[in-house]
Amino acid sequence: MKYMLLIAARDPQQYADEAFVGREMQAYIDFEKAVAEAGVKLAGEALQGVETASTVAVAESGERVVTDGPFAETREGLGGFYLLDVPDLDAALDWAARCPGSQFGGKIEVRPIQSYDY
């Protein structure tokens, strides 16, 4: 089954500490190696900061409305993702717990990919 691990970005002030950044980056390097060696990683990327986001909506009139920033106003923002192909939810949760995004004060949302038969 395919699962998306959505990484909730943490407080940006933590990134002012170079030692923190170094520890987190090494943890991601190690995690990348682990998911690659296990053969479960289908995709994964970090995202630029929420200040680079644009949100698009289409009004009933058909007019496209583009606003700066993320669609949700929260302290956390989507920082990146992994798409994994694993046997079941338990395996996805295990990988989420190993992901540095669930550590260092962060969180991971784990969601199965919806498949359709067209």
Side-chain angles (χ1 to χ4, degrees):
M1 291 189 65
K2 294 178 185 168
Y3 286 89
M4 181 72 73
L5 308 185
L6 300 166
I7 303 167
R10 289 160 299 291
D11 181 355
Q13 291 187 20
Q14 287 179 310
Y15 295 103
D17 179 357
E18 289 183 31
F20 172 85
V21 173
R23 286 190 311 273
E24 186 180 40
M25 290 309 299
Q26 185 59 54
Y28 270 106
I29 290 167
D30 296 343
F31 184 74
E32 283 282 332
K33 184 177 178 183
V35 292
E37 287 176 354
V40 298
K41 180 183 172 187
L42 299 176
E45 297 291 341
L47 300 174
Q48 292 187 20
V50 296
E51 67 279 359
T52 67
S54 297
T55 300
V56 178
V58 177
E60 287 185 31
S61 65
E63 177 186 2
R64 181 179 75 173
V65 180
V66 179
T67 55
D68 291 337
F71 74 93
E73 305 249 351
T74 67
R75 287 181 40 108
E76 296 176 334
L78 185 60
F81 70 93
Y82 282 95
L83 178 60
L84 304 181
D85 190 1
V86 294
D88 53 32
L89 176 59
D90 287 336
L93 295 173
D94 287 343
W95 281 110
R98 293 176 63 182
C99 180
S102 68
Q103 303 160 19
F104 301 98
K107 297 177 185 174
I108 303 280
E109 180 178 338
V110 178
R111 295 180 64 180
I113 298 298
Q114 179 68 47
S115 61
Y116 296 97
D117 294 324
Y118 293 109

